[in-house]
Amino acid sequence: MTQSDLLGTWQIDKESVDREGTKSRSINTTWTFKADGTLEGISQESDVHARIDQLRAVLNYSVQDGKLVKQAAPGRSRMETCTAIEKENDKMVLKCQSTYFFMTKK
């Protein structure tokens, strides 16, 4: 995986604790990877009674040895390494720590 593989906006279709995606939850989140090494994450809340309808975070990221290294949380220095388990055209499964992200490029 290279930075050019990531550049652009990815829709996270679901996140799961297992590779098969059986125990998954659907989320309305996009990650936009920019050439300047920042990743903008936007989550849209589907619950109409939620106090916040949209959450936006900007994280730093880089690609090292074919893996995504990104800030674990905004404002924190701790980084987490994510591996593309599967990547085919505009589909990707990214494993970060113990979570699998099933993504589609927009």
Side-chain angles (χ1 to χ4, degrees):
M1 174 170 62
T2 64
Q3 185 182 24
S4 60
D5 289 331
L6 291 174
L7 288 179
T9 300
W10 291 81
Q11 174 76 42
I12 298 178
D13 301 317
K14 61 185 178 178
E15 63 179 57
S16 174
V17 295
D18 65 30
R19 171 70 189 89
E20 286 70 45
T22 49
K23 297 183 174 113
S24 66
R25 62 186 195 108
S26 292
I27 51 174
N28 188 3
T29 298
T30 57
W31 286 0
T32 301
F33 292 91
K34 300 182 179 172
D36 66 1
T38 60
L39 152 61
E40 182 181 46
I42 297 178
S43 293
Q44 204 67 41
E45 183 53 68
S46 54
D47 181 357
V48 293
H49 303 294
R51 292 203 311 230
I52 300 171
D53 63 340
Q54 189 184 67
L55 189 66
R56 179 179 170 270
V58 176
L59 305 170
N60 292 314
Y61 83 93
S62 64
V63 176
Q64 297 170 11
D65 300 322
K67 296 179 182 190
L68 167 66
V69 179
K70 69 176 191 65
Q71 259 178 302
R76 299 272 168 84
S77 58
R78 191 169 76 79
M79 303 297 272
E80 68 177 353
T81 301
C82 304
T83 307
I85 304 292
E86 213 175 278
K87 174 143 182 12
E88 190 178 326
N89 301 326
D90 60 349
K91 294 270 188 204
M92 178 166 63
V93 178
L94 202 59
K95 180 179 189 278
C96 301
Q97 312 290 84
S98 57
T99 305
Y100 292 86
F101 294 96
F102 295 79
M103 309 165 78
T104 306
K105 191 156 196 180
K106 292 179 83 173

